């Protein structure tokens, strides 16, 4: 254990691990995590903290030169603290086990390691931003957010790398601007080292630069935004972000779901690196407040983009056999990445069908791409439904209805695993969900995108 008597430094830096007492004073300046990490065990049993970070290390050989002796009695929990078993039980009931982090350095690089204790972590589970000396690394763990938020000890270069191991370990390599030794990682800022339910976290924005915009239909455009070099952000499938503009002195935000640069993007080389660019299909409303301002932006202007929100889980694709997509207008946007992912990453999939509702033929987004995809992959079918077609239109027409859905939603097998995704204007989505329930589809088989 450590005794925090400031008058005696040798006693101040005593630490107990596995009921053995160590004097770690000589090791302080060499510890890769800095003095602050060692001091986290001050006045307490350091066994759990050691195990979180160095479980694979032979502590007896590593610390044998620092050994003072064996603890004679078992430590009691300090007043006001829960015994370990109660803390564990509380965490188990309320959410995932609290993550931890450590860091080490070389002459040129600082590596931050986050131990999430969760399998199945991906790069889109980690969001990193470095702005105005503030370093922020948010790790999404189920429905929780773990935040590292610090003013770093020294400046770093804008570009950094993020890696995720399948054991749930996240590594962030930061390049030092000056090749000098850091005494510690930095100063803790608001909510540092906290695990918070995602619903209780505020939106965080970074400024992204408009790189291009191109016409897709008469009123819909494809916008390409570039992330800052000092940001790592990959929006998970089925999730949305908020775009923010200042209009007449007031900040206005609107939710949008990012898309791939092309419906066939998984089958071709990307025009630009996927990890630095975000694409949006956005309908411009001439009488609207937000979209005309967005459309008036010049190439090189900036838009603030939030961190992702949403609760769609790709685990819903596991062993999926039939995927049905119901989209109206720009409600098509979440379906873009879903289509790409399902057709390339779900081996159990037998059938994917999209029913796309629009007013006229001119309103159909990426019509040629949707039709070409049907030629390339026989598992996929698309049907267009128009509510105000011309006399030349020979396809389906009308609005979402029992007749249209009952014919469209036919399983490949009697008991095949099904997922139905629906997105569009609120009346369309609400009516669609009612009709799906009337057709005996369960809540687990229906996912509605709402914003």
């Amino acid at each position: 254990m450590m005794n925090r008597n400031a008058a005696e430094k040798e006693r101040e830096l005593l630490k107990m691990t596995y009921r053995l007492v160590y004097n770690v004073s000589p090791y302080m300046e060499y510890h890769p995590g800095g003095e602050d990490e060692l001091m986290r065990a001050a006045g307490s049993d350091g066994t759990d903290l050691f195990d979180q970070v160095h479980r694979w290390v032979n502590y007896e050989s590593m610390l044998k030169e620092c050994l003072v002796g064996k603890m004679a009695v078992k430590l009691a929990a300090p007043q006001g603290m829960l015994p370990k078993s109660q803390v564990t039980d509380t965490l188990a009931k309320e959410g995932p086990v609290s993550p931890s982090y450590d860091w080490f350095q070389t002459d040129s690089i600082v590596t931050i390691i986050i131990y999430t204790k969760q399998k199945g972590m991906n790069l889109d589970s980690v969001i990193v931003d470095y702005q105005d000396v503030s370093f922020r690394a948010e790790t999404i763990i189920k429905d929780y957010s773990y935040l590292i938020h610090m003013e770093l000890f020294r400046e770093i270069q804008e570009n950094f790398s993020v890696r995720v191991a399948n054991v749930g370990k996240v590594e962030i390599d930061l390049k030092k601007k000056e090749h000098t030794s850091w005494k510690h990682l930095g100063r803790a800022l608001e909510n540092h080292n906290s695990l918070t339910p995602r619903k209780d976290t505020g939106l965080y924005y970074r400024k992204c630069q408009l790189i291009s915009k191109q016409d897709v239909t008469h009123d819909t455009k494809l916008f390409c935004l570039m992330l800052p070099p000092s940001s790592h952000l990959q929006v998970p499938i089925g999730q949305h972000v908020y775009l923010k503009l200042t209009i007449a002195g007031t900040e206005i935000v609107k939710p949008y779901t990012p898309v791939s640069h092309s419906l066939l993007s998984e089958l071709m080389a990307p025009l630009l690196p996927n990890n630095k660019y975000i694409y949006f299909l956005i309908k411009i409303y001439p009488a609207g407040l937000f979209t005309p301002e967005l459309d008036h932006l010049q190439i090189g202007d900036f838009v603030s983009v939030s961190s992702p929100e949403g609760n769609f889980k790709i685990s819903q694709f596991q062993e999926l056999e039939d995927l049905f997509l119901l989209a109206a207008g720009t409600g098509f946007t979440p379906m873009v990445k879903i289509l790409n992912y399902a057709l390339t990453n779900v081996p159990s999939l037998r059938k994917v069908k999209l029913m796309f509702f629009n007013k006229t033929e001119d309103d159909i987004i990426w019509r040629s791409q949707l039709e070409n995809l049907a030629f390339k992959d026989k598992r996929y079918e698309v049907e267009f439904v128009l509510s105000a077609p011309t006399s030349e239109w020979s396809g389906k027409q009308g609005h979402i209805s029992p007749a249209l859905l009952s014919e469209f939603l036919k399983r490949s097998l009697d008991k095949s695993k099904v997922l139905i995704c629906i997105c569009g204007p609120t009346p369309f989505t609400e009516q669609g969900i009612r009709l799906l329930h009337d057709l005996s589809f369960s809540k687990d088989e229906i996912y509605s995108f709402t914003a």
Side-chain angles (χ1 to χ4, degrees), residues 68-86:
V68 174
K70 181 174 287 189
M71 192 73 180
V73 295
K74 185 176 180 180
L75 285 175
Q79 189 174 2
M81 290 181 63
L82 287 171
K84 177 187 170 186
S85 60
Q86 286 183 242

Side-chain angles (χ1 to χ4, degrees), residues 139-205:
T139 306
I140 307 303
I141 305 170
K142 297 181 178 178
D143 294 324
Y144 284 75
S145 166
Y146 175 66
L147 182 65
I148 291 176
H149 191 197
M150 305 191 79
E151 179 183 328
L152 295 176
F153 181 72
R154 289 282 187 266
E155 286 188 271
I156 60 171
Q157 298 180 34
E158 287 187 326
N159 57 320
F160 46 75
S161 65
V162 180
R163 299 183 301 278
V164 177
N166 56 12
V167 294
K169 182 173 69 172
V170 177
E171 294 184 355
I172 305 169
D173 287 337
L174 310 177
K175 297 179 182 178
K176 298 177 179 178
K177 273 195 173 180
E178 298 177 358
H179 290 190
T180 58
S181 178
W182 289 19
K183 294 182 179 178
H184 51 83
L185 185 56
R187 181 175 65 87
L189 299 177
E190 185 180 10
N191 297 323
H192 172 64
N193 199 25
S194 63
L195 182 67
T196 309
R198 289 187 71 187
K199 61 182 178 60
D200 297 333
T201 60
L203 289 175
Y204 183 82
Y205 289 86

Side-chain angles (χ1 to χ4, degrees), residues 253-297:
V253 300
K254 290 279 286 181
Y256 292 100
T257 302
V259 299
S260 312
H261 69 83
S262 160
L263 187 61
L264 305 174
S265 62
E266 300 296 327
L267 308 175
M268 60 178 70
L271 300 176
L272 296 168
N274 286 330
N275 59 346
K276 280 297 177 184
Y277 296 87
I278 309 179
Y279 296 87
F280 299 92
L281 283 167
I282 298 177
K283 182 176 180 178
I284 308 301
Y285 296 89
L289 177 64
F290 188 86
T291 56
E293 290 292 327
L294 189 65
D295 192 31
H296 289 153
L297 292 178

Side-chain angles (χ1 to χ4, degrees), residues 21-227:
V21 181
Y22 298 93
N23 174 12
V24 295
S25 303
Y27 185 57
M28 294 290 278
E29 63 180 299
Y30 303 106
H31 186 244
E35 294 184 11
D36 290 345
E37 282 301 296
L38 284 176
M39 293 304 293
R40 287 172 63 192
S44 64
D45 184 344
T47 305
D48 289 341
L49 182 60
F50 188 96
D51 278 349
Q52 287 175 16
V53 181
H54 301 301
R55 181 177 292 276
W56 60 90
V57 173
N58 185 327
Y59 70 91
E60 290 178 316
S61 62
M62 179 183 182
L63 296 173
K64 66 180 181 180
E65 298 299 328
C66 303
L67 180 63
V68 174
K70 181 174 287 189
M71 192 73 180
V73 295
K74 185 176 180 180
L75 285 175
Q79 189 174 2
M81 290 181 63
L82 287 171
K84 177 187 170 186
S85 60
Q86 286 183 242
V87 174
T88 305
D89 291 344
T90 302
L91 286 170
K93 291 175 184 176
E94 295 181 357
V97 176
S98 185
S100 60
Y101 76 96
D102 198 359
W103 71 285
F104 62 87
Q105 62 180 312
T106 64
D107 286 343
S108 58
I109 293 175
V110 170
T111 299
I112 298 173
I113 304 175
I114 302 169
Y115 301 94
T116 68
K117 308 178 182 72
Q118 298 287 328
K119 293 181 179 179
M121 300 292 294
N122 300 303
L123 280 173
D124 59 17
S125 304
V126 186
I127 306 163
V128 184
D129 293 282
Y130 177 62
Q131 297 186 46
D132 303 324
V133 309
S134 168
F135 175 82
R136 194 177 188 279
E138 181 180 9
T139 306
I140 307 303
I141 305 170
K142 297 181 178 178
D143 294 324
Y144 284 75
S145 166
Y146 175 66
L147 182 65
I148 291 176
H149 191 197
M150 305 191 79
E151 179 183 328
L152 295 176
F153 181 72
R154 289 282 187 266
E155 286 188 271
I156 60 171
Q157 298 180 34
E158 287 187 326
N159 57 320
F160 46 75
S161 65
V162 180
R163 299 183 301 278
V164 177
N166 56 12
V167 294
K169 182 173 69 172
V170 177
E171 294 184 355
I172 305 169
D173 287 337
L174 310 177
K175 297 179 182 178
K176 298 177 179 178
K177 273 195 173 180
E178 298 177 358
H179 290 190
T180 58
S181 178
W182 289 19
K183 294 182 179 178
H184 51 83
L185 185 56
R187 181 175 65 87
L189 299 177
E190 185 180 10
N191 297 323
H192 172 64
N193 199 25
S194 63
L195 182 67
T196 309
R198 289 187 71 187
K199 61 182 178 60
D200 297 333
T201 60
L203 289 175
Y204 183 82
Y205 289 86
R206 71 279 300 144
K207 289 185 178 295
C208 296
Q209 191 173 32
L210 180 63
I211 298 300
S212 67
K213 55 181 176 178
Q214 63 184 67
D215 293 335
V216 176
T217 69
H218 63 98
D219 61 2
T220 301
K221 297 187 178 183
L222 180 66
F223 290 79
C224 176
L225 300 179
M226 181 174 68
L227 287 163

